[in-house]
């Protein structure tokens, strides 16, 4: 039979366990349930009151169809602002697309050469003025020589004038190197146009606006007139189809949509919102729309708040900026920033006796080592934090004051180490 040590009927193992608990259990309980006081200092910060929604963008869009079968070559880029009658694309058939691309290259070369020629005139404008002055003097001299009847002198003067005119035209005239280069490019362009004759059709817009090649099939449905008749179910049923984007050449059929133009600056985002959440989205309220998909923010106004339908509402936001950034988008995820506040920022959990109606609360400050509770005004608050200030006529709280983060078990006048 093994040896078992007992002290007055108590096993040694049980005794050791008891001693351990007697020594360490109070410390463990203090750490777990105790009143450890956490502190911080008042610092400036910013908070926002935000609602996250899934939105659908609605614009005044007109679809542009292809006038013929063939290869559609884009002459405008996604989001480009174009004037009325601007060429946005060209349909090429029966000839290689490379021929049309060669034509576009020649047009760019001619434009660059003409620009350089104008810059050349600016550089040599002083020389041209000087030559014009010389011509004027020579013409005066020629007139005097004619009066005297000196044919030999007149002939020499006329030769001098011709020489000066030639020097001038060599700088900026039909005989200049730049003019000869431009004329050669124009001839080459005419030859390419002859090869393309009757094989290209230009696509031009009939009004000014922004161009997009993101065709999703909702252009005729999702118009500003649709907003007030839309139900939550209508909007929830909208799925974004594949769109034609980021291409230079694509095969098209006659009558097939190839682009769209947005004609108005005023555009809209609509969202389906639960009835409870919609109470903060009142008509005419100014908000900021932060589009999470692209990290872009724009100002908007709530222009429509529908009746309740099956516990939900349709909310419309009107905006007139950010069209360039959003023109190719339809469904987006957005943080609707309802309000923003700056000032002394504290965790909401550190405030006690919060009075929502009066917008007041109490904060526990540390004056020396003594805890003291002071009333503060709530400037703004969300679920996580609050911006606070002094009540009118007081100066209890200030930047860099020390405050208690967990004041629940702290008493007024308590000494805090």
């Amino acid at each position: 039979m093994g040896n078992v040590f007992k002290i007055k009927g108590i096993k040694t193992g049980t005794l050791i366990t008891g001693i351990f608990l007697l020594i360490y259990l109070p410390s463990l309980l203090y750490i777990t349930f105790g009143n450890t006081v956490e502190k911080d200092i008042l610092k400036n910060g910013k908070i926002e009151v935000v609602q996250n929604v899934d939105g659908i963008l609605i614009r005044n869009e007109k679809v542009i169809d292809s006038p013929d079968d063939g290869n559609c070559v884009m002459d405008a880029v996604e989001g480009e602002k174009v004037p009325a009658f601007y060429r946005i694309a060209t349909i090429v058939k029966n000839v290689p697309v490379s021929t049309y691309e060669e034509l576009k290259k020649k047009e760019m070369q001619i434009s660059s050469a003409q620009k350089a020629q104008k810059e050349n005139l600016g550089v040599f404008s002083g020389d041209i003025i000087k030559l014009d002055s010389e011509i004027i003097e020579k013409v005066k001299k020629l007139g005097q020589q004619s009066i005297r009847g000196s044919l030999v002198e007149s002939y020499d003067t006329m030769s001098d004038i011709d020489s000066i005119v030639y020097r001038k035209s060599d700088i900026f005239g039909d005989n200049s190197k730049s003019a000869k280069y431009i004329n050669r490019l124009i001839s080459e362009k005419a030859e390419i146009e002859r090869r393309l004759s009757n094989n290209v059709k230009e696509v031009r817009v009939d009004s000014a606006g922004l161009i997009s090649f993101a065709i999703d099939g909702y252009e005729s449905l999702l118009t500003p007139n649709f907003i007030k008749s839309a139900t939550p179910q209508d909007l929830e049923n909208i799925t974004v189809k594949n769109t034609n984007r980021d291409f230079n050449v694509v095969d098209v059929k006659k009558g097939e949509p190839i682009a769209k133009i947005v004609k108005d600056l005023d555009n809209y985002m609509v969202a389906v919102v639960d009835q409870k959440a919609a109470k903060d989205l009142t008509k005419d309220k100014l908000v900021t729309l932060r589009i999470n998909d692209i990290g872009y923010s724009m100002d908007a106004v709530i222009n429509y708040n529908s009746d309740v339908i099956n516990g939900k509402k349709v909310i419309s936001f009107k905006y007139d900026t950010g069209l360039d950034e959003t023109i190719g988008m339809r469904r987006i995820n957005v943080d609707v920033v309802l309000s923003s506040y700056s000032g002394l920022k504290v965790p909401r959990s550190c405030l006690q006796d919060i009075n929502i109606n009066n917008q007041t609360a109490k904060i526990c400050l540390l004056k020396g080592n003594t805890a003291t509770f002071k009333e503060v005004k709530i400037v703004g608050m969300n679920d996580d934090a609050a911006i606070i200030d002094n009540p009118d006529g007081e100066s209890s709280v200030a930047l860099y004051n020390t405050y208690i983060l967990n004041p629940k078990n702290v008493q007024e006048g308590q000494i805090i180490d």
Side-chain angles (χ1 to χ4, degrees):
M1 184 172 169
N3 295 326
V4 177
F5 296 97
K6 293 185 178 181
I7 300 176
K8 294 184 180 180
I10 300 176
K11 293 182 179 181
T12 304
T14 303
L15 179 63
I16 293 174
T17 301
I19 294 172
F20 174 83
L21 292 175
L22 186 63
I23 296 174
Y24 291 104
L25 186 58
S27 298
L28 181 62
L29 291 174
Y30 183 78
I31 292 172
T32 306
F33 303 105
N35 192 29
T36 303
V37 176
E38 298 180 51
K39 297 170 284 188
D40 200 355
I41 60 173
L42 290 174
K43 298 181 288 288
N44 283 324
K46 179 180 179 181
I47 65 169
E48 295 175 334
V49 178
V50 174
Q51 278 199 37
N52 183 266
V53 300
D54 288 320
I56 296 173
L57 297 182
I58 291 181
R59 298 170 281 254
N60 186 2
E61 301 170 321
K62 180 181 179 181
V63 172
I64 302 167
D65 296 331
S66 173
D68 207 344
D69 298 344
N71 297 120
C72 180
V73 183
M74 301 305 155
D75 295 310
V77 297
E78 180 78 12
E80 181 178 355
K81 294 183 177 72
V82 299
F85 310 113
Y86 185 83
R87 185 184 71 198
I88 64 163
T90 303
I91 309 302
V92 182
K93 63 178 184 178
N94 301 326
V95 292
V97 172
S98 59
T99 305
Y100 179 70
E101 291 175 338
E102 185 180 353
L103 175 64
K104 290 175 67 176
K105 182 178 179 180
K106 290 298 177 187
E107 290 176 343
M108 292 176 63
Q109 289 175 330
I110 291 171
S111 177
S112 297
Q114 289 173 337
K115 181 180 178 181
Q117 189 182 54
K118 291 180 180 179
E119 291 174 352
N120 188 54
L121 175 62
V123 172
F124 292 101
S125 59
D127 294 334
I128 293 175
I129 293 172
K130 182 179 178 181
L131 292 174
D132 285 340
S133 298
E134 290 183 18
I135 291 173
I136 292 172
E137 292 301 319
K138 292 293 183 181
V139 169
K140 290 179 180 179
K141 184 177 181 181
L142 181 62
Q144 294 173 351
Q145 291 168 344
S146 297
I147 293 173
R148 294 198 302 268
S150 177
L151 294 178
V152 175
E153 288 182 346
S154 297
Y155 179 79
D156 291 340
T157 302
M158 290 174 65
S159 296
D160 291 342
I161 292 173
D162 288 341
S163 177
I164 295 170
V165 170
Y166 182 81
R167 284 158 56 196
K168 180 181 176 181
S169 66
D170 197 39
I171 294 175
F172 192 71
D174 292 337
N175 294 324
S176 67
K177 292 180 181 180
S178 60
K180 290 177 181 178
Y181 175 62
I182 291 172
N183 289 334
R184 177 169 64 82
L185 290 175
I186 292 174
S187 297
E188 292 172 352
K189 175 175 175 281
E191 170 57 24
I192 298 172
E193 288 175 331
R194 185 190 64 75
R195 282 185 279 154
L196 288 171
S197 178
N198 300 321
N199 290 314
V200 296
K201 286 190 177 181
E202 294 181 342
V203 182
R204 295 182 180 271
V205 293
D206 57 8
S207 61
L210 265 72
I211 289 295
S212 175
F213 300 106
I215 310 297
D216 58 18
Y218 287 112
E219 286 78 15
S220 60
L221 173 64
L222 298 179
T223 66
N225 292 332
F226 171 74
I227 296 173
K228 291 186 178 180
S229 64
T231 67
Q233 190 63 48
D234 291 334
L235 298 175
E236 289 169 349
N237 287 341
I238 290 174
T239 57
V240 178
K241 302 174 183 178
N242 292 331
T243 58
N244 293 327
R245 293 189 66 194
D246 298 328
F247 59 84
N248 293 316
V249 180
V250 66
D251 292 335
V252 295
K253 299 293 184 182
K254 185 176 181 179
E256 179 180 286
I258 58 174
K260 63 186 177 186
I261 185 167
V262 180
K263 296 185 288 185
D264 295 335
L265 287 177
D266 289 335
N267 297 280
Y268 305 85
M269 183 194 79
V270 292
V272 177
V273 181
D274 290 337
Q275 178 183 357
K276 184 178 179 180
K279 65 181 178 60
D280 293 325
L281 302 173
T282 56
K283 191 173 183 294
D284 297 326
K285 184 178 181 64
L286 298 176
V287 298
T288 297
L289 303 180
R290 187 164 56 225
I291 305 173
N292 295 318
D293 307 73
I294 57 175
Y296 180 80
S297 296
M298 57 191 181
D299 294 331
V301 61
I302 298 175
N303 71 303
Y304 176 68
N305 186 317
S306 76
D307 294 332
V308 179
I309 303 174
N310 297 326
K312 298 179 180 180
K313 284 191 167 190
V314 174
I315 308 295
S316 173
F317 305 82
K318 183 179 179 181
Y319 61 94
D320 59 8
T321 59
L323 186 56
D324 296 25
E325 290 78 8
T326 61
I327 190 169
M329 309 175 76
R330 184 66 76 185
R331 269 197 175 276
I332 57 175
N333 181 263
V334 176
D335 283 333
V336 181
V337 183
L338 301 173
S339 53
S340 178
Y341 306 95
S342 298
L344 297 175
K345 180 180 178 180
V346 297
R348 179 168 176 162
S349 58
C350 81
L351 298 178
Q352 292 192 314
D353 300 337
I354 296 175
N355 188 317
I356 298 298
N357 294 328
N358 295 332
Q359 290 292 286
T360 60
K362 287 185 178 180
I363 189 171
C364 185
L365 300 178
L366 199 59
K367 301 294 185 180
N369 291 333
T370 304
T372 178
F373 286 85
K374 296 293 183 181
E375 186 174 84
V376 293
K377 178 171 63 176
I378 299 174
V379 177
M381 184 167 58
N382 59 22
D383 292 339
D384 302 314
I387 299 296
I388 63 171
D389 199 356
N390 287 291
D392 294 338
E394 295 189 22
S395 57
S396 302
V397 295
L399 191 65
Y400 305 128
N401 281 170
T402 300
Y403 69 99
I404 306 301
L405 287 167
N406 55 338
K408 186 176 181 180
N409 296 320
V410 175
Q411 303 297 319
E412 177 77 27
Q414 181 177 333
I415 302 301
I416 305 295
D417 294 330

